């Protein structure tokens, strides 16, 4: 690069020489950029590339891709690519030949530039403006057989434009299918209205359940406030503290309802059973944990309000000599010398309601802090231990209200029904947790992932996409951790792929040393609880499903893909007709075990039900010259060998991050007859947010409705 910029060959770059090269990168035409790429490899500077120099160029990009090919396979691939480009009979390659090789990638060259701050947003806007068409037909062997089945795949991002395996020069790809829906030019207000309508359609169960829940909470609160506000005189409560009593009793009623019914949101076994019944049409079981968080936050806020109400009461009772207190609180002053007023510390620390109230606040504070995402990540053990304080929480709550200073206890009325269901759920889990399960196979995989295959317990029935909780007493703790099953329901054994990201998972991975891997009989045994249902198992309810996984978040989709292909091979009738799997990974080496599963799916998928797209984010999101040449080599390799240079799969490999909005727009073009499309994502929260944002944008249109199910870890 220095030699190219140093035109006068004096060993220095003037500003003009430097600027000339930068201008080509940032504003150059496709021809100028391809000539620069050509000159970078024309070491001799004679205006020609020998076949050996061109082979070296291709070989260098195969090495950059960390290809799974060995040296002989790479050489065969290079010779095949030279032949496909028409260079096999040429001793020297000119720039015109080189540019002809890039004829299908003019836009990629146009967008190729240096990653300079300030230019990124401009290029993204230009990119989204010029790349609207994303699904095109692909005939894998169009040069040989015209009547074979065609499969549509998406051109996600700039690298997907005019993408074809086996494409001939001059062939113009046809759109897979013309949209049959009439397109509307909607105003911004109409788009907002349409988005709101789709939001209500997608979340009507959530809206109804949340409305009922908080409606009951508001109802019991207002009933107590009304009672003590209008009937305070008949209760004998002094007017000086009426406001404090109204606030404290109203919030206490709401807390008495929220705390017990919060237990139902963690009854995993009952939730899993409920998914298989008609209740799933009315209750959003997917939102159980979200509902648990919202109820917990509301309960904590109301607890603080309740405490503030009592602070007002205690202050008034501490500064006022009210002889009526002995009549109001006979249980408190029964054996007292009636020395009034009492100090505030006496009310808080020397009475049973006051002391239990202080302890309840401390317990809630501990549970809230260790339930935060930050503390759960650094110390799951802390979250596990502090959340088991819920037993003490309910005991203290019963004691706190049992004195009945103002009214008779009512907490048990709310507590008994959900507590019985919660106890039933715990008994179901305890019955399973007693069984030790031997691991039959363990394997250490790249990226700190361990693969465990263990015996399937008798009577263990599950659906693809479900998860289990696993404990290992050999690690010195009985805490259970959730992991999604990567095995399919038809397989005889169960399998998990666990990434070491915390103290427990690191200990688990370290327990399987290279020495112990050779001795299956000494593998630490597991304790299993489950299976439990979640939103991903509903992929069968849609004709078209989109699965988006990033990192270790691909685990539920490994099970789903194997299950889909197996069911189609045995002619099992399912509603799902097409599945698009988008796998986002930093490098293809990061989760190689997923490649093995995809390869297995490709071999079994005779009906082409699954379309797989792999996104490698290690390279720049924006096309620079290196990325462009990687893309060109990848596409030529796919054309010649019908598989990816990076992964060895038939799946499409892309560079950068997937533009979900373009992809979802393409789905409407390819499947215009489908009214609902299921979107399932699993991975970091940022991934789910991007997917959800794209779904919301698509739901502004009067076309297919995108329903998003997600799981974050």
């Amino acid at each position: 690069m220095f030699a190219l910029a140093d035109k006068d060959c004096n060993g220095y770059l003037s500003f003009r020489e430097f600027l000339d090269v930068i201008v080509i990168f940032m504003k150059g035409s496709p021809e100028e950029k391809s000539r620069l790429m050509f000159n970078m490899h024309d070491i001799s500077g004679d205006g020609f590339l020998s076949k050996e120099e061109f082979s070296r160029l291709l070989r260098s990009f195969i090495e950059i891709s960390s290809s799974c090919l060995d040296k002989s396979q790479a050489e065969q691939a290079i010779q095949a690519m030279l032949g496909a480009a028409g260079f096999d009979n040429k001793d020297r390659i000119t720039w015109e030949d080189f540019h002809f090789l890039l004829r299908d990638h003019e836009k990629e060259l146009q967008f190729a530039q240096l990653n300079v701050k300030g230019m990124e947003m401009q290029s993204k806007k230009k990119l989204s403006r010029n790349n609207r068409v994303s699904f095109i037909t692909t005939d894998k062997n169009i040069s040989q057989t015209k009547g074979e089945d065609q499969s549509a795949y998406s051109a996600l991002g700039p690298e997907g434009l005019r993408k074809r395996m086996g494409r001939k020069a001059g062939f113009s790809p046809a759109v897979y299918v013309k949209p049959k829906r009439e397109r509307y030019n909607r105003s911004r207000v109409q788009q907002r209205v349409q988005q709101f309508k789709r939001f209500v359609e997608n979340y009507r169960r959530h809206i109804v359940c949340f409305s009922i829940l908080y409606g009951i909470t508001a109802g019991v609160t207002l009933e107590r406030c009304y009672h003590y506000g209008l009937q305070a005189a008949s209760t004998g409560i002094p007017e000086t503290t009426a406001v404090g009593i109204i606030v404290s009793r109203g919030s206490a009623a709401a807390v008495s309802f929220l705390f017990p019914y919060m237990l139902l949101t963690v009854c995993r076994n009952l939730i899993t059973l409920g998914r298989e019944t008609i209740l799933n049409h009315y209750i959003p079981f997917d939102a159980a944990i979200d509902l648990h968080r919202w109820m917990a936050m509301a309960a904590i806020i109301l607890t603080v309000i309740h405490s503030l109400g009592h602070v007002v009461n205690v202050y008034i009772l501490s500064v006022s000599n009210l002889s009526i207190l002995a009549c109001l609180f006979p249980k408190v002053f029964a054996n007292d010398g009636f020395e009034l007023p009492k100090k505030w510390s006496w009310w808080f620390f020397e009475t049973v309601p006051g002391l239990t109230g202080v302890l309840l606040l401390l317990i809630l504070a501990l549970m809230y802090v260790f339930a935060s995402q930050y503390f759960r990540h650094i110390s799951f053990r802390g979250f596990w231990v502090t959340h088991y304080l819920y037993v003490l929480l309910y005991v203290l709550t019963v004691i706190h209200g049992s004195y009945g200073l103002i009214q008779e206890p009512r907490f048990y009325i709310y507590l008994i029904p959900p507590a019985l269901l919660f106890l039933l759920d715990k008994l179901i889990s305890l019955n399973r947790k007693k069984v030790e399960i031997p691991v039959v196979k363990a394997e250490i995989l790249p990226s700190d992932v361990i693969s465990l295959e263990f015996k399937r317990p008798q009577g263990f029935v599950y659906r693809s996409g479900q998860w289990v909780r696993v404990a290992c007493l050999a690690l010195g703790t009985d805490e259970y951790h959730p992991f999604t099953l990567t095995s399919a329901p038809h397989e005889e054994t169960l399998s998990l792929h666990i990434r070491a990201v915390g103290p427990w998972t690191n200990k688990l991975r370290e327990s399987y040393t290279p020495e112990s891997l050779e001795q299956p009989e000494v593998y630490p045994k597991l304790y299993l609880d489950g299976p439990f249902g979640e939103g991903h198992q509903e992929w069968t309810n849609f004709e078209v499903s989109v699965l988006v996984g990033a990192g270790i978040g691909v685990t539920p989709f490994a099970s789903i893909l194997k299950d889909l292909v197996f069911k189609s091979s045995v002619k099992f009738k399912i509603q799902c007709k097409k599945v698009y799997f988008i796998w986002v990974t930093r490098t293809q080496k990061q989760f190689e075990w997923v490649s093995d599963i995809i390869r297995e799916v490709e071999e079994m998928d005779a009906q082409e039900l699954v379309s797989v797209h792999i996104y490698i984010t290690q390279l720049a999101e924006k096309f620079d010259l290196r990325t462009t040449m990687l893309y060109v080599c990848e596409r030529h390799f796919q054309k010649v060998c019908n598989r990816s240079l990076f992964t060895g799969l038939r799946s499409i490999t892309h560079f950068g991050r997937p533009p979900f909005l373009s992809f979802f727009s393409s789905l409407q073009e390819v499947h215009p007859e489908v009214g609902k499309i299921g979107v399932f994502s699993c991975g970091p929260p940022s991934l789910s947010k991007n997917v959800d944002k794209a779904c919301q944008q698509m739901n502004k249109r009067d076309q297919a409705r995108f329903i998003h199910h997600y799981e974050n870890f």
Side-chain angles (χ1 to χ4, degrees):
M1 286 300 301
F2 185 91
L4 287 176
D6 185 17
K7 295 178 181 178
D8 54 10
C9 301
N10 64 351
Y12 296 92
L13 288 185
S14 67
F15 180 72
R16 171 53 60 186
E17 290 173 333
F18 175 76
L19 188 61
D20 288 342
V21 175
I22 297 299
V23 167
I24 293 177
F25 271 110
M26 305 306 296
K27 297 291 185 180
S29 65
E31 291 77 10
E32 290 174 324
K33 291 178 180 177
S34 69
R35 183 175 289 278
L36 181 61
M37 293 168 63
F38 180 85
N39 292 337
M40 286 167 59
H41 295 89
D42 180 16
I43 306 300
S44 60
D46 58 0
F48 297 95
L49 284 180
S50 67
K51 186 178 291 187
E52 177 56 34
E53 287 176 325
F54 189 72
S55 298
R56 190 186 304 122
L57 181 153
L58 298 179
R59 196 177 299 113
S60 68
F61 285 108
I62 290 178
E63 292 171 356
I64 289 176
S65 70
S66 301
S67 174
C68 54
L69 305 176
D70 57 35
K71 189 173 182 180
S72 61
Q73 290 176 322
E75 291 300 326
Q76 292 175 5
I78 289 172
Q79 294 303 319
M81 292 168 67
L82 287 171
F87 298 156
D88 50 348
N89 295 324
K90 290 190 174 184
D91 295 328
R92 298 192 305 175
I93 298 170
T94 65
W95 170 76
E96 288 76 11
D97 296 329
F98 182 76
H99 190 68
F100 178 77
L101 178 70
L102 306 177
R103 65 191 180 280
D104 293 333
H105 312 288
E106 184 174 326
K107 282 194 175 180
E108 284 70 34
L109 285 171
Q110 180 181 345
F111 288 115
Q113 61 185 46
L114 295 178
N115 193 2
V116 178
K117 187 175 181 180
M119 296 294 292
E120 187 173 353
M121 291 304 298
Q122 180 180 346
S123 66
K124 283 185 178 180
K125 290 179 180 178
K126 190 195 302 182
L127 197 64
S128 62
R129 198 166 52 242
N130 285 278
N131 299 308
R132 298 298 184 189
V133 179
S134 48
F135 268 87
I136 57 177
T137 51
T138 302
D139 188 341
K140 296 179 180 177
N141 299 298
I142 195 166
S143 59
Q144 302 169 2
T145 306
K146 191 174 181 180
E148 294 183 1
D149 292 337
Q150 293 181 328
S151 63
Y153 62 88
S154 64
L156 305 181
E159 73 277 20
L161 292 167
R162 297 192 226 130
K163 170 175 44 183
R164 256 195 129 267
M165 294 182 294
R167 178 178 176 181
K168 291 184 178 181
F171 179 81
S172 179
V175 177
Y176 180 76
V177 65
K178 292 183 179 179
K180 297 178 181 179
R181 299 173 185 266
E182 183 180 355
R183 297 193 176 186
Y184 299 94
N185 293 322
R186 292 181 174 273
S187 65
R188 189 179 297 273
V189 175
Q190 289 174 321
Q191 290 180 2
R192 292 292 182 185
V193 172
Q194 179 67 16
Q195 185 180 16
F196 177 75
K197 287 169 58 180
R198 289 293 168 83
F199 176 82
V200 174
E201 290 176 5
N202 291 343
Y203 296 99
R204 60 183 183 276
R205 294 181 303 166
H206 303 69
I207 294 171
V208 171
C209 287
F210 272 67
S211 300
I212 292 174
L213 175 69
Y214 287 108
I216 294 175
T217 304
V220 297
T221 302
L222 294 175
E223 188 273 332
R224 288 292 87 188
C225 290
Y226 172 80
H227 176 78
Y228 288 100
L230 298 183
Q231 303 179 27
S234 61
T235 59
I237 297 174
E239 294 182 3
T240 52
T241 187
V243 174
I245 292 295
I246 291 172
V247 171
S248 59
R249 297 315 309 163
S251 56
V255 170
S256 298
F257 169 73
L258 288 173
F259 271 153
Y261 282 90
M262 204 186 305
L263 293 173
L264 295 180
T265 60
V266 290
C267 294
R268 293 294 191 181
N269 297 290
L270 299 182
I271 288 174
T272 302
L273 292 174
R275 286 177 175 277
E276 309 300 327
T277 67
I278 195 173
L279 292 176
N280 196 37
H281 295 291
Y282 306 100
I283 301 176
F285 291 109
D286 290 346
I289 293 301
D290 290 333
L291 186 61
H292 181 83
R293 293 192 185 103
W294 282 98
M295 292 178 71
M297 287 300 300
I300 289 174
I301 293 172
L302 288 167
T303 300
V304 173
I305 294 174
H306 176 74
S307 303
L308 293 176
H310 277 314
V311 167
V312 174
N313 295 332
V314 168
Y315 172 76
I316 293 174
L317 298 178
S318 299
V319 299
S320 304
N321 188 4
L322 301 174
S323 58
I324 196 174
L325 293 180
C327 300
L328 282 175
F329 309 130
K331 295 181 180 180
V332 177
F333 297 101
N335 299 318
D336 197 86
F338 301 107
E339 296 179 3
L340 298 174
K342 293 290 186 181
K343 293 182 179 180
W344 66 270
S345 58
W346 183 87
W347 289 97
F348 282 128
F349 300 107
E350 297 183 38
T351 62
V352 173
L355 186 59
T356 54
V358 172
L359 291 175
L360 283 169
L361 285 175
L362 292 175
I363 291 173
L364 282 173
L366 278 173
M367 294 177 71
Y368 173 76
V369 169
F370 281 93
S372 63
Q373 186 176 0
Y374 174 76
F375 279 97
R376 286 187 66 179
H377 180 71
I378 63 174
S379 177
F380 187 86
R381 180 69 177 173
F383 164 76
W384 180 266
V385 172
T386 54
H387 248 60
Y388 262 103
L389 292 174
Y390 75 89
V391 178
L392 185 59
L393 178 75
Y394 286 101
V395 171
L396 289 176
T397 304
V398 172
I399 297 173
H400 180 72
S402 62
Y403 261 60
L405 300 183
I406 303 297
Q407 67 177 33
E408 290 301 316
R410 303 176 67 180
F411 184 66
Y412 69 93
I413 300 175
Y414 301 107
L415 179 61
I416 291 176
L420 291 175
L421 292 174
F422 181 75
L423 181 61
L424 174 63
D425 187 85
K426 283 295 181 184
L427 290 175
I428 296 173
S429 290
L430 286 173
N431 185 51
R432 288 193 297 253
K433 290 179 179 179
K434 294 185 295 184
V435 181
E436 285 185 334
I437 302 175
V439 176
V440 297
K441 183 181 178 181
E443 186 179 359
I444 302 296
L445 302 175
S447 299
D448 296 326
V449 175
I450 182 171
S451 170
L452 299 179
E453 186 177 334
F454 47 96
K455 289 185 178 180
R456 185 169 181 167
Q458 186 175 5
F460 189 90
V461 180
Y462 68 102
R463 294 174 61 181
S464 56
Q466 290 187 330
W467 57 278
V468 295
R469 294 196 300 172
V470 176
C472 184
L473 297 185
L475 301 183
T477 175
D478 62 346
E479 62 188 64
Y480 279 76
H481 290 258
F483 301 102
T484 306
L485 290 166
T486 54
S487 54
H490 65 274
E491 296 178 338
E492 296 181 357
T493 58
L494 303 178
S495 64
L496 295 173
H497 286 77
I498 301 172
R499 187 182 183 191
V501 292
W504 188 89
T505 51
N506 275 307
K507 286 182 181 179
L508 180 68
R509 191 176 189 275
E510 291 169 0
S511 64
Y512 291 92
T513 60
E515 295 77 17
S516 66
L517 290 177
E518 300 175 359
Q519 302 175 348
E521 63 276 3
V522 300
Y523 288 164
K525 293 185 178 180
L526 303 178
Y527 290 82
L528 189 69
D529 184 19
F532 301 113
E534 52 94 21
H536 290 138
Q537 72 182 58
E538 297 185 10
W539 63 272
T540 55
N541 298 338
F542 300 91
E543 289 187 47
V544 176
S545 295
V546 182
L547 315 178
V548 184
I552 200 64
V554 302
T555 48
F557 307 132
S559 174
I560 290 173
L561 292 176
K562 290 190 287 187
D563 188 29
L564 170 66
V565 173
F566 173 77
K567 287 179 177 177
S568 65
S569 64
V570 297
K571 309 298 182 183
F572 187 87
K573 188 176 181 180
I574 56 176
Q575 184 178 351
C576 190
K577 306 301 181 185
K578 187 70 177 179
V579 168
Y580 296 91
F581 175 45
I582 300 176
W583 174 29
V584 185
T585 179
R586 179 169 174 78
T587 68
Q588 84 282 4
K589 294 286 185 182
Q590 194 172 13
F591 295 97
E592 278 190 330
W593 59 271
V594 184
S595 300
D596 296 334
I597 293 175
I598 295 174
R599 188 174 293 106
E600 179 184 346
V601 168
E602 288 179 343
E603 292 173 357
M604 297 176 59
D605 187 17
Q607 301 180 28
E608 297 186 350
L609 297 176
V610 181
S611 177
V612 182
H613 296 268
I614 302 173
Y615 273 81
I616 299 176
T617 61
Q618 183 183 38
L619 302 173
E621 292 186 30
K622 187 161 40 185
F623 274 74
D624 58 18
L625 294 183
R626 179 185 66 165
T627 313
T628 303
M629 278 307 299
L630 275 174
Y631 170 74
V632 172
C633 291
E634 165 73 1
R635 292 299 167 254
H636 276 272
F637 190 80
Q638 282 181 327
K639 180 174 66 175
V640 172
C641 302
N642 196 25
R643 58 177 176 150
S644 171
L645 174 68
F646 284 77
T647 63
L649 303 172
R650 295 198 302 268
S651 309
I652 309 302
T653 302
H654 308 273
F655 310 119
R657 301 183 184 277
F660 295 108
L661 188 59
S662 299
F663 172 60
F664 294 155
S665 298
S666 300
L667 287 182
Q668 292 186 333
E669 300 290 330
V670 177
H671 305 284
E673 75 287 351
V674 176
K676 293 190 302 182
I677 296 176
V679 181
F680 304 85
S681 65
C682 183
S686 58
L687 173 78
S688 295
K689 288 179 181 178
N690 289 334
V691 175
D692 193 65
K693 185 177 179 181
C695 289
Q696 292 179 18
Q697 290 294 322
M698 294 305 301
N699 286 334
K700 292 181 180 180
R701 310 176 186 180
D702 189 21
Q703 292 181 312
R705 178 156 59 101
F706 288 79
I707 302 175
H708 183 210
H709 302 260
Y710 64 91
E711 180 183 3
N712 292 330
F713 55 85

